[in-house]
Amino acid sequence: MNTLINEHYVVEITRPTVLMMVQKLRELFVYVPKPELHGVIQMDEMFFHESQKGIDNPTDVLKSGKRRKGRRRSEPSKYGTMGNEFGTVLCAVDEVGHAIAKHVCMGHIELDDIYLNIHPYLKMLHLSVQI
């Protein structure tokens, strides 16, 4: 809001209006075409814990439509840091900076997950993997 007022000469704008504009931009990013990756491509995965904090009757991400018991703060995840409670996002960047980030699975990522989700964006046909 301050940037719009101070740097872009917007006379008057409210915080809710700015938040609404940001939300609309986020929704439009889905329609931006993903770039074609070429050259040397670096990939890594990130894991995000499925959280339903504050929900009285949380759903089970492993069993669609089923409910699960809520965990207490002191209870760790029974699946560990790469268990099925964690969403796996694969990130790929090529040598010129084009990037793709895509949710590929829940839990541990397999080589087939990488191939199926990144292959459509590869310009080259040879795929070598270093683990």
Side-chain angles (χ1 to χ4, degrees):
M1 183 174 81
N2 291 334
T3 302
L4 288 172
I5 293 170
N6 297 331
E7 296 178 20
H8 299 287
Y9 308 107
V10 174
V11 178
E12 186 177 321
I13 192 164
T14 63
R15 184 176 177 88
T17 301
V18 173
L19 293 174
M20 183 185 63
M21 290 167 51
V22 169
Q23 181 60 33
K24 286 185 178 186
L25 285 171
R26 285 183 186 148
E27 291 169 3
L28 290 174
F29 284 141
V30 174
Y31 302 106
V32 174
K34 292 181 175 63
E36 190 174 71
L37 303 176
H38 55 85
V40 177
I41 299 168
Q42 299 178 31
M43 288 186 253
D44 199 3
E45 70 275 359
M46 295 183 71
F47 303 96
F48 294 92
H49 191 269
E50 169 270 329
S51 175
Q52 298 178 34
K53 184 177 179 179
I55 296 176
D56 292 334
N57 204 0
T59 58
D60 190 340
V61 295
L62 304 178
K63 299 173 187 145
S64 181
K66 303 276 182 166
R67 299 290 178 187
R68 69 168 172 80
K69 180 183 166 193
R71 286 188 302 275
R72 299 284 179 225
R73 186 173 287 204
S74 60
E75 292 179 42
S77 168
K78 66 180 177 180
Y79 298 107
T81 58
M82 288 177 34
N84 291 336
E85 291 181 337
F86 290 77
T88 305
V89 176
L90 180 64
C91 304
V93 180
D94 70 5
E95 59 190 17
V96 294
H98 295 138
I100 292 176
K102 192 170 182 184
H103 178 262
V104 294
C105 62
M106 295 297 286
H108 183 70
I109 192 168
E110 301 290 335
L111 191 56
D112 287 342
D113 296 324
I114 297 171
Y115 182 78
L116 291 173
N117 287 282
I118 296 298
H119 185 264
Y121 307 108
L122 297 178
K123 186 173 184 179
M124 61 184 189
L125 296 177
H126 177 68
L127 179 65
S128 66
V129 177
Q130 291 181 343
I131 298 176

